[in-house]
Amino acid sequence: MIAKEENHATNGGGVYVNGGDVTVTGGNIEYNTAQNGGGVYLDNSTMTLHDGKISGNHADQGGGIYMGGTNTLIMENGSITNNEASWGGAIAYSGGNNTADLRGGSITGNTAKSNGGAIQVDFTNVEVCAVTIKNSTFRNNSADGEGGAIGADLMTVNPAGGLMISPTMDASNILVFAVT
């Protein structure tokens, strides 16, 4: 994949995917800016990140990746690092049915001005959300608000969704909170 660098857009500064599948194998999506999804914007799509890198992107929501609609994100030994957003430094979920399966790799050094330094889930707009984290590293992510690693605004949650964390992850910097 050719590196996508220093681009600007309303949605998906580096890559915008609507109704499709994209695989990043060993490529870089870096230094892009957007309102939603500084690096990648997924809308009813599937993305597989295999040994790829999403880094240094900026957005209001989802510095690295923004997921709106119904999406699947699979990360296999990739990295999402040093992205910045107001909400969801590395990944932001908003709307639809979203699934993330993080199998190895790292989510490090991402920052959010409000909530979810690494991952922010807005359950007010998400029908079903499942995040599976296995053999992955979350390190040095920060949020000025809640959830240095993972934040979740809970209004109503479909029982089919949820958060599963394998024993290899340190859950001490995860905060899930309710908004009433």
Side-chain angles (χ1 to χ4, degrees):
M1 174 178 211
I2 297 172
K4 299 292 183 185
E5 297 180 353
E6 298 182 20
N7 299 293
H8 307 277
T10 301
N11 294 316
V15 177
Y16 178 87
V17 185
N18 184 340
D21 295 336
V22 64
T23 300
V24 177
T25 302
N28 299 331
I29 300 171
E30 300 180 297
Y31 313 116
N32 301 291
T33 304
Q35 182 177 347
N36 299 303
V40 177
Y41 185 104
L42 298 177
D43 187 7
N44 299 311
S45 301
T46 298
M47 177 178 186
T48 302
L49 178 64
H50 181 73
D51 294 322
K53 180 171 134 181
I54 298 174
S55 180
N57 300 289
H58 299 270
D60 183 44
Q61 298 183 43
I65 300 170
Y66 179 87
M67 298 169 66
T70 299
N71 301 286
T72 300
L73 171 65
I74 300 166
M75 184 170 87
E76 300 170 329
N77 302 316
S79 67
I80 304 174
T81 61
N82 301 320
N83 298 286
E84 296 180 11
S86 295
W87 186 83
I91 302 169
Y93 284 69
S94 185
N97 302 313
N98 290 290
T99 301
D101 188 359
L102 310 177
R103 310 175 203 155
S106 62
I107 298 181
T108 60
N110 300 286
T111 59
K113 292 179 185 172
S114 60
N115 300 327
I119 300 173
Q120 177 63 30
V121 180
D122 178 4
F123 279 107
T124 59
N125 296 318
V126 174
E127 295 168 23
V128 176
C129 168
V131 181
T132 303
I133 300 166
K134 190 172 191 178
N135 300 321
S136 298
T137 301
F138 279 63
R139 184 175 293 128
N140 298 327
N141 298 290
S142 63
D144 292 344
E146 311 297 337
I150 300 172
D153 295 328
L154 303 175
M155 290 288 280
T156 58
V157 179
N158 184 321
L163 172 66
M164 297 173 283
I165 301 170
S166 75
T168 60
M169 183 181 166
D170 176 10
S172 63
N173 67 342
I174 296 173
L175 173 64
V176 178
F177 60 99
V179 175
T180 56

